[in-house]
């Protein structure tokens, strides 16, 4: 049996305690938890956390984390005292907009398998009688939500870990991280050095300081959040005992950025309604120097004045009370509101589990333990991976601005397409000025300004034929997008594909390297392009790639993001025979697609762009006018055409060359909105939305990208014996009966009246004249013709499972 690794966990807050429990339960018992403060009220965020555990989230991953926290803590006790009270959760709506939002939130939980229900105002007051019936329009009740006693739950888990062999050492301040050859070897403290094979930083808002010691950027911002307790209320007198503490649901008044919970005969109130108050970690006292808890700062009364008035309006019983005590408690916020998890790319063996609230603590700890011991977590964690960030997203000013914005928006109603307002204009393609001249409507992703449609196309006659849609679905949308999609099908359009992550893999071992990491056959002639997959050891789809073989040992990869670069880099051989380089910033790409695409490009070049001379999924070096390009005959929209790449310095010239050549053909610039519609008509998957590492290729309908006979590759063993015929679930297209009912994704799908799956991607199909939603369904319900319903803002929209692809099933338009 292999020797157990020595694990050092930094921080004995609830995450460190939960992780030690999960690790030791799985047999890793050589675990040392170092804490700079006392045990178990360490002085961090766990020490003052109000303990709300709520499961509703647009993220399936975060709901799974919270649901596991509910299940685990419900079974925990410490010295006979409870660690979790399942009092339920209640969200009230005081505006029509919020009423619609709680219907959407109810849909999320239905999608993710958590029971919940929508309530009338009368039903809501029955559940929580302190709420003023006249102030609310409705409510959302989640019976399994509740209250966690963070310190108690932490200690209970720590005690179990200690019984299995773990040790917890208080008053040990970490002063250094030791490493050799790029791998962690130990943790230095003011009490001595602890050898380690694995170090996990669970230091909460102190995480950036630990990261600095390891040379790792931990992009989070500590922010102060107000919490108060009222004086005793007559309405609560005799209701709760000191031991049970609370009996009514945790209450959230998100229209006013407030939440409420009972403390025996008092009400605790948390407010996000105040200005963001970022805190410098260096300004926070060390636990040994603090008279109370260093994470509890002085209460700023003026910041609570307006919130207090809102509290008394919703809960009239508070008019007889006063704010008896309050503090500004420090919590961790990140740029995208998600935790930071995983192994640092720059230091092997140094792991991070930060920016984790009590709500998700047990779920995160379980996923981390699975990741460490099994090699991959069973829950998809790509949204949480510490290595998900592009370089610009690690800049201190960016981290501060976006994290503060997330504090402001924590309870806001956010549209799925709604971009952050600042900072913007961080990454611009070489075509940006031309796009502005055409009236591009820009949204942002990974820092890139991406056109979604162009006002220059508003006079296209096709605009008049585009059906309208509901208020929610028409946000960040224009009928112009539909016209752009139709012109793509009828003539030709230019799409800016620069935001696609591009990697170059070279060196004498490049082919063997990529052959092992991917599922498809890459040993093909130079000039071939292959669609392939990256798999986890479990067989789950880690990513999908297009790889062009541009030389014997030179490959260009179209990737999904920074995590793909991190994955390839981690697997590089030690002998230097392979190099991986991110070439995105120095290059650009235009998709030229439509039945007239060849008419546009062929006159610009002496290279043969005919079907016979330049076949589908082939790549060629050429010159279009004066611009040297790499052209790949790919089409993510299902039309004849090419992805055309050049260097960034020649991007503007490439755009102008193609634009001028296309004018006689009626070329248009088209945006991301049209692109998404066209790709769904063809059934082309979007990794991260339609499929993740939780799905295998056969479930996701991309088994064609797997060549089991090519030899060994990462994840191959897990696919043995699996086929599209044996899977228990499938990703399938749905066609909605109501042509104007455009859903947005993550809605529940019902079969025979019962929730059975959920929507991944959706759009209106302008060519086929139907509303499309891709969804995961049980295999038994995934046959074409099966009638289903899609939950949408409280309604159930009739739909039917369809055959795919929905458009051009014989692929005649691409291969001509």
């Amino acid at each position: 049996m292999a020797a157990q690794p020595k694990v050092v966990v930094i921080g004995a807050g609830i995450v460190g305690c939960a992780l030690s429990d999960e690790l030791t339960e799985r047999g890793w018992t050589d675990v040392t938890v170092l804490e700079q403060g006392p045990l178990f009220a360490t002085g961090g965020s766990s020490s003052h956390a109000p303990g709300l555990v709520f499961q509703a989230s647009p993220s399936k991953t975060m709901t799974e984390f919270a649901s596991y926290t509910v299940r685990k803590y419900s079974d925990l006790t410490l010295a006979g005292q409870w660690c979790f009270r399942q009092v339920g959760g209640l969200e009230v709506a005081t505006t029509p907009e919020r009423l619609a939002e709680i219907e959407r939130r109810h849909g999320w939980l239905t999608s993710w398998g958590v029971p919940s229900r929508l309530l009338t105002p009368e039903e809501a007051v029955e559940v929580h009688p302190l709420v003023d019936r006249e102030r609310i329009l409705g409510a959302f009740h989640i019976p399994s939500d509740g209250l966690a006693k963070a310190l108690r739950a932490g200690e209970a888990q720590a005690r179990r870990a200690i019984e299995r062999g773990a040790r917890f050492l208080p008053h040990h301040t970490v002063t250094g991280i030791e490493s050799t050859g790029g791998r962690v070897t130990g943790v230095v403290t003011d009490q001595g050095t602890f050898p380690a094979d694995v170090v996990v930083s669970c230091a909460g808002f102190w995480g950036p300081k630990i990261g600095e010691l390891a040379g790792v950027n931990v992009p989070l911002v500590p922010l102060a959040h107000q919490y108060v307790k009222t004086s005793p209320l007559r309405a609560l007198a005799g209701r709760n005992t000191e031991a049970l503490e609370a009996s009514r649901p945790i209450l959230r008044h998100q229209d006013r950025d407030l939440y409420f919970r009972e403390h025996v005969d008092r009400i605790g109130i948390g407010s996000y309604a105040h200005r963001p108050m970022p805190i410098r970690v260096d300004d926070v006292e060390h636990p040994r120097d603090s008279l109370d808890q260093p994470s509890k700062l002085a209460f700023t009364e003026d910041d609570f004045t307006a919130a207090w008035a809102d509290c008394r309006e919703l809960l009239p019983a508070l008019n007889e009370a006063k704010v008896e005590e309050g503090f500004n408690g420090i919590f961790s916020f990140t740029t995208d509101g998600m935790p930071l998890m995983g192994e640092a790319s720059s230091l092997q063996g140094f792991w991070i589990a930060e920016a984790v609230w009590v709500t998700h603590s047990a779920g995160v700890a379980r996923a981390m333990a699975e990741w460490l011991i099994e090699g991959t977590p069973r829950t998809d964690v790509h949204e949480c991976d510490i290595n998900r960030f592009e370089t610009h997203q690690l800049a201190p000013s960016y981290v501060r601005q976006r994290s503060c914005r997330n504090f402001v928006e924590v309870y806001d109603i956010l549209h799925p397409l709604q971009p952050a307002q600042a900072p913007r204009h961080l990454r611009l393609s070489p075509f940006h000025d031309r796009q502005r001249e055409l009236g591009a409507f820009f949204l942002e992703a990974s820092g890139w300004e991406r056109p979604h449609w162009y006002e220059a196309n508003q006079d296209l006659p096709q605009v008049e034929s585009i059906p309208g849609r509901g208020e929610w679905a028409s946000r960040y949308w224009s009928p112009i997008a539909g016209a752009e999609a139709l012109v793509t099908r009828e003539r030709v359009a230019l799409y800016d594909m620069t935001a696609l992550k591009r990697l170059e893999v070279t060196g004498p071992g490049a082919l063997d390297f990529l052959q092992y990491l991917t599922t498809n056959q890459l040993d093909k002639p130079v000039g071939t392009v292959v669609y392939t997959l990256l798999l986890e050891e479990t067989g789950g789809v880690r990513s999908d790639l297009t790889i062009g073989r541009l030389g014997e040992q030179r490959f260009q990869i179209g990737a999904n993001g920074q995590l793909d670069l991190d994955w390839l880099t981690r697997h590089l051989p030690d002998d230097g025979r392979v190099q991986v380089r991110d070439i995105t910033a120095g290059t650009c790409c235009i998709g030229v697609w439509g039945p007239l695409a060849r008419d546009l490009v062929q006159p610009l070049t002496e290279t043969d762009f005919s079907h016979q001379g330049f076949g589908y999924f082939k790549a060629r070096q050429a010159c279009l006018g004066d611009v040297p390009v790499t052209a790949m005959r790919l089409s993510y929209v299902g039309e004849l055409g090419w992805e055309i790449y050049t260097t960034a310095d020649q991007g503007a010239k490439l755009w102008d060359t193609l634009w001028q050549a296309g004018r006689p053909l009626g070329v248009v610039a088209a945006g991301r909105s049209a692109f998404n519609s066209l790709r769904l008509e063809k059934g082309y998957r979007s990794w991260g939305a339609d499929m993740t590492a939780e799905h295998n290729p056969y479930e996701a309908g991309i088994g064609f990208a797997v060549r089991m006979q090519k030899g060994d590759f990462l994840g191959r063993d897990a696919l043995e014996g699996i086929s599209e015929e044996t899977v228990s679930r499938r990703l399938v297209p749905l066609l909605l009966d109501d042509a104007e009912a455009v859903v947005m994704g993550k809605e529940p799908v019902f079969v025979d009246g019962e929730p059975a799956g959920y929507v991944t991607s959706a759009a209106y199909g302008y060519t086929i004249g139907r509303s499309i939603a891709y969804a995961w369904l049980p295999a038994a319900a995934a046959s074409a013709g099966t009638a289903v319903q899609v939950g949408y803002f409280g309604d159930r929209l009739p739909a039917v499972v369809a055959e795919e692809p929905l458009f051009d099933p014989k692929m005649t338009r691409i291969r001509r």
Side-chain angles (χ1 to χ4, degrees), residues 399-726:
V399 174
R400 182 184 175 95
Q401 285 185 73
R402 286 286 173 98
S403 298
C404 286
R405 190 68 208 167
N406 272 322
F407 178 91
V408 171
E409 294 177 345
V410 70
Y411 280 168
D412 285 1
I413 299 170
L414 300 176
H415 191 274
L417 295 176
Q418 184 173 333
Q421 294 305 304
R424 289 288 296 269
H425 301 99
L426 295 170
R427 308 176 82 184
L428 306 178
S429 83
F431 324 128
H432 186 74
D433 288 344
R434 304 296 189 268
Q435 292 164 347
R436 290 183 59 193
E437 292 167 4
L438 293 171
F441 180 85
F442 292 100
L443 296 178
E444 179 265 350
S446 297
W448 288 103
E449 297 294 325
R450 301 199 301 181
H452 274 241
W453 67 84
Y454 294 84
E455 291 296 328
N457 295 325
Q458 63 182 332
D459 295 327
L460 289 170
Q462 291 88 346
V463 172
E464 297 300 320
S465 68
I466 304 304
R469 53 178 66 184
E471 188 276 334
W472 183 253
S474 49
R475 295 186 193 182
Y476 305 100
W477 173 83
S478 168
I480 296 171
E484 293 172 359
L486 292 177
V487 171
T488 305
R489 294 273 190 242
E490 296 163 7
R491 301 199 297 266
V492 62
L494 305 185
Y495 288 81
D496 182 0
M497 302 299 291
T498 302
L500 175 73
K501 178 72 108 178
R502 288 174 293 285
L503 309 175
E504 184 179 70
V505 178
T506 57
L511 175 61
D512 291 342
F513 171 72
L514 291 174
Q515 278 282 73
Y516 175 69
L517 288 182
T518 66
T519 60
N520 213 333
Q521 178 58 262
L522 297 182
D523 192 5
K524 294 185 175 184
V526 172
T528 301
V529 181
V530 174
Y531 175 80
T532 189
L533 311 174
L534 297 176
L535 300 183
E536 297 278 6
E537 289 277 7
T538 57
V541 180
R542 184 177 178 87
S543 189
D544 62 342
L545 313 172
T546 54
I547 301 182
R549 190 173 191 181
L550 304 184
E552 286 296 330
Q553 296 289 357
R554 177 177 165 237
F555 298 84
Q556 180 173 308
I557 298 177
N560 281 300
Q562 194 69 12
L563 290 178
D564 293 340
L565 174 61
D566 178 66
W567 185 253
L568 295 179
T569 302
R570 286 179 187 276
H571 287 86
L572 283 172
D574 295 332
D575 59 12
R577 289 170 50 82
V578 182
Q579 295 82 45
V580 177
R581 189 165 66 98
D582 185 348
I583 61 172
T584 311
T587 56
C588 58
C589 179
I590 297 176
V592 182
W593 292 312
L596 301 182
R598 184 175 288 115
D599 299 273
L600 193 157
V601 298
Q602 185 62 81
L604 296 172
T605 181
E606 296 179 2
T607 302
D608 184 1
F609 270 63
S610 70
H611 182 61
Q612 294 74 25
F614 197 151
Y616 189 52
F617 265 74
K618 301 298 182 184
R620 301 282 295 274
Q621 307 289 330
C623 285
L624 296 184
D626 298 325
V627 182
V629 301
T630 297
M632 295 189 185
R633 193 170 166 195
L634 308 175
S635 178
Y636 204 51
V637 301
E639 293 292 335
L640 170 68
W642 291 265
E643 291 179 359
I644 299 178
Y645 301 87
T646 192
T647 52
D649 61 324
Q650 295 206 313
K653 181 64 174 177
L654 175 63
W655 180 280
D656 291 344
T657 299
L658 294 170
W659 185 255
Q660 291 303 317
R663 292 291 294 276
L665 303 173
V667 70
V668 300
R672 191 76 186 179
S673 186
F675 178 88
N676 194 51
S677 169
L678 296 169
R679 68 105 180 163
L680 283 178
E681 288 183 332
K682 286 298 295 178
Y684 294 149
R685 277 56 169 155
S686 175
W687 186 86
D690 297 319
M691 57 191 180
T692 68
E694 292 185 355
H695 310 107
N696 72 51
Y698 303 104
E699 295 172 323
I702 50 174
F704 63 85
V706 178
R707 295 290 184 271
M708 295 292 285
Q709 69 276 18
K710 79 165 187 173
D712 191 27
F713 58 83
L714 184 62
R716 184 186 186 282
D717 290 348
L719 299 184
E720 287 283 5
I722 300 175
S723 69
E724 291 187 9
E725 289 70 35
T726 62

Side-chain angles (χ1 to χ4, degrees), residues 335-356:
T335 60
D336 55 9
M338 302 296 283
L340 306 175
M341 299 170 58
E343 185 182 28
S345 60
S346 57
L347 182 60
Q348 287 184 293
F350 184 80
W351 292 70
I352 291 164
E354 309 284 20
V356 180

